[in-house]
């Protein structure tokens, strides 16, 4: 136990509290069992260490455990946590639970046996708790951590801090939105930087290696994390990486399943299923027609990469500006809103709000005379009636 306690205290002591993710204040930290899932590189570990640091407790009262540690090759989670509890532990953080076989069952047993113990766990975005053995879905409060918003990026990279903007307020009161920013704030100054390398917090560690590191994140997600998905054949990992390359050079587009199957060598019947796996891994976005179901067997109406950083890093050519605009808007909106593909316009939000996305000179003829329809425009600083700056979608969380 001594080594575990020393490592935990060291990790907590080294974490910075200068910047915290949007999710930190949304989590009900008093819950007995909390789960936080998300894509690789979005900052789940830092979030948990910040919580432990703010608790003011150290080992053995509050302990951080990473389940991909070699220690757990010869020790069980139940055994380890039980020993910590006996020494006075009351907050246990379990990081990277998907790396440990049978994690859900053991956490469920600990939850039932130690009612005074709080446990917080993190895992890959591919985790579906409702399908895990042990039935944690009735016990755990589950959250998902998305990548950085443009608002968070400005805070982390440039110490520019503003509060989030509510979408309804953004649409109704352009004057109030403008008044919420200082006169010297230039909203587009760092926007292109964000599109290229601002979605993943690790950009702050070393920009020069960001592209290589993000490619490694993608590879690890496909080759390791996705093995947790039922029905995923690891032998197709290389083909899926090839598929991502094809998508990055083509999006946004309406996928032709037969052509994609021919290019990748993945059987047509498996390809739609694998597209769903890529979405669960937070590597792509699948858009379906408004009002339709999202069955695993249904072909998506539109296919985009999950965020603009992936577009910039994975593409062999300079990403199309229309692709970047739409990918950015979708990545920000989907964190807190439902988005589908409309018959007119580009995005339908919460089955009510229609958005047409383009450059500052784009006309609104496609959505003319439609109710609750708005132009979302790039290269525009502040909103006017019916016209919304694209960058402001980056302030929704």
């Amino acid at each position: 136990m001594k080594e575990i306690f020393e490592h935990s205290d060291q990790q907590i002591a080294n974490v910075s509290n200068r910047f915290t993710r949007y999710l930190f204040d949304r989590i009900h930290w008093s819950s007995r069992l909390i789960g936080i899932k998300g894509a690789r590189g979005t900052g789940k570990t830092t979030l948990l260490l910040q919580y432990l640091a703010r608790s003011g407790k150290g080992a053995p009262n509050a302990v951080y455990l990473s389940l991909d540690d070699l220690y757990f090759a010869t020790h069980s989670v139940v055994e380890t946590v039980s020993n910590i509890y006996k020494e006075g532990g009351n907050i246990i953080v379990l990081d990277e639970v998907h790396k440990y076989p049978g994690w859900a069952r053991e956490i469920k047993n600990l939850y039932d046996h130690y009612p005074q113990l709080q446990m917080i766990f993190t895992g890959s975005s591919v985790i579906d708790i409702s399908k895990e053995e042990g039935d944690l879905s009735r016990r755990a409060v589950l959250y998902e951590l998305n990548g950085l918003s443009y608002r968070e990026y400005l805070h982390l990279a440039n110490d520019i801090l503003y509060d989030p903007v509510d979408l309804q307020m953004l649409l109704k009161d352009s004057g109030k939105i403008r008044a919420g920013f200082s006169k010297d704030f230039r909203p587009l100054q760092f926007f292109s930087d964000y599109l290229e390398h601002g979605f993943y917090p690790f950009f702050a560690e070393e920009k020069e290696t960001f592209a290589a590191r993000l490619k490694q994140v993608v590879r690890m997600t496909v080759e390791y994390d996705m093995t947790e998905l039922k029905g995923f054949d690891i032998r197709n990992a290389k083909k899926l990486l090839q598929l991502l390359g094809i998508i990055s050079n083509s999006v946004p587009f309406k996928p032709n399943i037969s052509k994609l199957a021919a290019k990748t060598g993945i059987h047509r019947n498996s390809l739609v299923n694998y597209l769903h796996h890529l979405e669960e891994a937070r590597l792509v976005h699948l858009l379906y027609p408004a009002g339709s179901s999202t069955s695993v067997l249904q072909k998506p109406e539109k296919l985009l990469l999950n965020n603009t950083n992936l577009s910039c890093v994975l593409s062999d050519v300079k990403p199309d500006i229309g692709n970047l605009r739409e990918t950015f808007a979708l990545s920000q909106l989907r964190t807190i809103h439902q988005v589908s593909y409309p018959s007119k316009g580009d995005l339908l939000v919460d089955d009510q709000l229609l958005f047409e996305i383009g450059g500052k000179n784009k006309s609104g003829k496609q959505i003319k005379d439609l109710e609750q329809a708005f132009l979302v425009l790039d290269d525009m600083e502040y909103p006017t009636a019916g016209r919304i700056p694209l960058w402001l979608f980056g302030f929704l969380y």
Side-chain angles (χ1 to χ4, degrees), residues 332-388:
Q332 307 295 292
L333 284 163
R334 268 201 166 169
T335 301
I336 49 180
H337 294 279
Q338 296 294 320
V339 186
S340 56
Y341 185 70
S343 57
K344 292 184 178 180
D346 291 316
L347 300 174
L348 182 65
V349 176
D350 297 333
D351 294 323
Q352 295 179 338
L353 305 172
L354 183 65
F355 297 110
E356 175 76 12
I357 302 169
K360 63 180 179 180
N361 296 321
K362 186 179 183 66
S363 71
K365 62 181 181 180
Q366 283 186 280
I367 57 174
K368 186 179 179 181
D369 300 325
L370 296 177
E371 293 185 8
Q372 296 284 74
F374 305 86
L375 280 173
V376 180
L377 305 178
D378 201 0
D379 300 320
M380 177 183 177
E381 288 199 331
Y382 290 102
T384 59
R387 300 164 68 88
I388 303 165

Side-chain angles (χ1 to χ4, degrees), residues 248 251 308 310-313 315-324:
S248 67
V251 294
T308 59
L310 291 174
S311 301
C312 293
V313 166
S315 179
D316 294 330
V317 296
K318 184 177 180 180
D320 175 74
I321 186 60
N323 165 26
L324 291 179

Side-chain angles (χ1 to χ4, degrees), residues 77-87 110 114:
V77 170
V78 167
E79 167 200 354
T80 305
V81 174
S82 296
N83 288 336
I84 294 172
Y85 181 81
K86 292 172 185 175
E87 294 198 31
L110 288 165
Y114 300 108

Side-chain angles (χ1 to χ4, degrees), residues 135-355:
D135 190 16
L136 287 182
S137 58
R138 293 184 295 107
R139 295 170 170 83
V141 182
L142 188 64
Y143 302 88
E144 179 158 3
L145 182 63
N146 197 37
L148 292 172
S149 66
Y150 182 45
R151 183 188 72 86
E152 291 181 300
Y153 170 78
L154 290 174
H155 184 192
L156 179 59
N158 301 286
D159 284 323
I160 298 172
L161 179 59
Y162 289 102
D163 291 333
V165 173
D166 178 75
L167 182 59
Q168 289 294 339
M169 180 186 293
L170 172 58
L171 302 178
K172 292 178 180 178
D173 197 337
S174 59
K176 190 171 184 179
I177 294 296
R178 177 65 184 89
F181 294 94
S182 64
K183 292 181 179 180
D184 61 349
F185 175 56
R186 291 180 285 176
L188 299 176
Q189 182 178 2
F190 303 104
F191 190 52
S192 60
D193 292 336
Y194 170 83
L195 296 180
E196 186 175 347
H197 57 247
F199 190 79
Y200 297 91
F202 58 76
F203 83 85
E205 297 170 20
E206 193 175 284
K207 281 187 180 180
E208 291 74 19
T209 61
F210 177 81
R213 187 167 175 181
L214 182 52
K215 288 180 181 179
Q216 181 66 10
V217 164
V218 172
R219 181 174 294 277
M220 295 288 286
T221 300
V222 172
E223 293 180 346
Y224 294 95
D225 296 354
M226 289 178 65
T227 59
E228 301 297 319
L229 292 165
K230 294 180 180 178
F232 178 73
D233 187 345
I234 187 61
R235 292 173 296 181
N236 277 324
K238 186 175 181 180
K239 294 178 180 179
L240 276 188
L241 291 171
Q242 180 187 358
L243 174 61
L244 282 171
I246 294 170
I247 293 170
S248 67
N249 289 326
S250 308
V251 294
F253 73 111
K254 296 183 178 182
N256 184 312
I257 299 301
S258 296
K259 288 184 178 180
L260 282 176
K263 285 184 177 181
T264 59
I266 300 174
H267 193 280
R268 187 185 188 284
N269 293 342
S270 300
L271 187 58
V272 173
N273 207 26
Y274 282 168
L275 288 176
H276 281 271
H277 290 343
L278 287 173
E279 183 170 53
E280 288 178 289
R282 302 301 180 254
L283 293 175
V284 303
H285 282 301
L286 306 180
L287 276 178
Y288 297 90
S292 68
S293 64
T294 55
S295 165
V296 172
L297 299 177
Q298 182 184 4
K299 180 177 79 70
E301 190 68 21
K302 205 167 190 179
L303 174 61
L304 300 95
L305 290 175
N306 178 269
N307 60 78
T308 59
N309 292 183
L310 291 174
S311 301
C312 293
V313 166
L314 297 182
S315 179
D316 294 330
V317 296
K318 184 177 180 180
D320 175 74
I321 186 60
N323 165 26
L324 291 179
R325 290 167 180 154
E326 199 166 331
T327 300
F328 168 76
L330 187 56
S331 71
Q332 307 295 292
L333 284 163
R334 268 201 166 169
T335 301
I336 49 180
H337 294 279
Q338 296 294 320
V339 186
S340 56
Y341 185 70
S343 57
K344 292 184 178 180
D346 291 316
L347 300 174
L348 182 65
V349 176
D350 297 333
D351 294 323
Q352 295 179 338
L353 305 172
L354 183 65
F355 297 110

